[in-house]
Amino acid sequence: MRIGYTMSQKTNNELEYICQKVVYCRAENYSTESFFAFITDNLENVIYVSHLADINLQLIQLLPGLELMHSQQKFIIFLDKGTAKNFSDKAYFDFILMLAQNEQKVIVRRTIKGLEASARKGMKFGRPGLPKEKVQEIQALYYNELRTYREISEICSVSVGTVHKYVNSLELKGYPSNVGSSVEKNEFRGSNICES
């Protein structure tokens, strides 16, 4: 089946002449996800679009849908190819796909350069760590008081994952885990391994 995709009433009429069905995308539905869903739902159909701008998304936003079509040896037929009117339908689709992939590479490259430049200026990324006193409290509760991760989590008002992270950081430095015989556990009791 020939199916059209548009956001414009004007091109909707044009596509209705060629296609058995036309999907009109409303302004509130313009998104990478909605375009990808349309492509996924219509892979078995021949998809027509009046012109690239009629999709109303940036090339990078089209990329997941274009790559899916390419992987299935499918392509979109654009009725108006602008100055590339001599391109075959497949060649024009491949050209759009290549531009979208190059745009993604440029964005990745520029993002990495920006992050590296910011790091050189001393900027830190990600969530801030816990205060030193809280880390020491977690480690002391684990090694000195032999508390479980869950108990420490409740006492310190942090997640179990956070407790694991800071206990594990000491274990990586050579401190034993809080499991094993009572002799092993008591060997470190009161050793103040968590003080600065």
Side-chain angles (χ1 to χ4, degrees):
M1 174 191 310
R2 291 187 304 271
I3 186 163
Y5 183 83
T6 185
M7 55 156 244
S8 163
Q9 190 59 46
K10 178 183 173 194
T11 57
N12 188 20
N13 296 337
E14 180 183 1
L15 290 168
E16 283 178 346
Y17 181 73
I18 297 167
C19 303
Q20 284 90 8
K21 178 180 174 186
V22 177
V23 173
Y24 178 73
C25 185
R26 299 189 186 284
E28 61 271 10
N29 294 332
Y30 299 153
S31 70
T32 301
E33 294 77 18
S34 64
F35 180 72
F36 187 80
F38 170 78
I39 296 298
T40 303
D41 293 344
N42 291 287
L43 275 174
E44 72 283 353
N45 298 315
V46 179
I47 299 174
Y48 284 80
V49 172
S50 180
H51 49 83
L52 184 59
D54 197 36
I55 300 174
N56 205 38
L57 294 173
Q58 296 173 333
L59 288 175
I60 191 71
Q61 294 174 294
L62 298 176
L63 187 57
L66 298 178
E67 287 181 329
L68 175 62
M69 290 193 76
H70 181 72
S71 73
Q72 302 294 314
Q73 284 103 32
K74 304 278 186 170
F75 56 91
I76 297 172
I77 297 174
F78 292 90
L79 300 179
D80 179 358
K81 298 178 189 130
T83 58
K85 59 186 170 210
N86 293 332
F87 281 32
S88 70
D89 294 330
K90 174 85 169 85
Y92 188 72
F93 174 84
D94 289 342
F95 180 68
I96 299 299
L97 174 62
M98 181 210 51
L99 289 175
Q101 290 169 332
N102 283 339
E103 185 176 313
Q104 182 183 45
K105 289 175 187 173
V106 168
I107 290 169
V108 167
R109 193 175 313 120
R110 291 174 77 186
T111 300
I112 290 170
K113 283 185 177 185
L115 290 172
E116 289 170 347
S118 295
R120 283 192 300 274
K121 292 177 184 175
M123 292 189 69
K124 298 193 187 263
F125 303 98
R127 291 186 294 179
L130 291 178
K132 185 178 179 182
E133 296 78 22
K134 182 68 80 174
V135 172
Q136 289 174 341
E137 179 183 8
I138 290 169
Q139 293 169 340
L141 287 168
Y142 183 78
Y143 284 103
N144 299 343
E145 296 184 24
L146 305 176
R147 301 287 188 123
T148 66
Y149 285 5
R150 175 114 6 245
E151 290 172 328
I152 297 168
S153 168
E154 291 170 6
I155 292 168
C156 296
S157 301
V158 297
S159 71
V160 173
T162 299
V163 173
H164 182 272
K165 173 184 173 181
Y166 289 107
V167 168
N168 193 39
S169 69
L170 270 183
E171 289 175 3
L172 291 174
K173 293 179 184 174
Y175 290 98
S177 70
N178 194 2
V179 293
S181 71
S182 59
V183 173
E184 290 172 348
K185 290 178 182 178
N186 289 329
E187 184 179 332
F188 291 93
R189 185 179 294 278
S191 64
N192 295 325
I193 61 171
C194 299
E195 292 182 5
S196 54

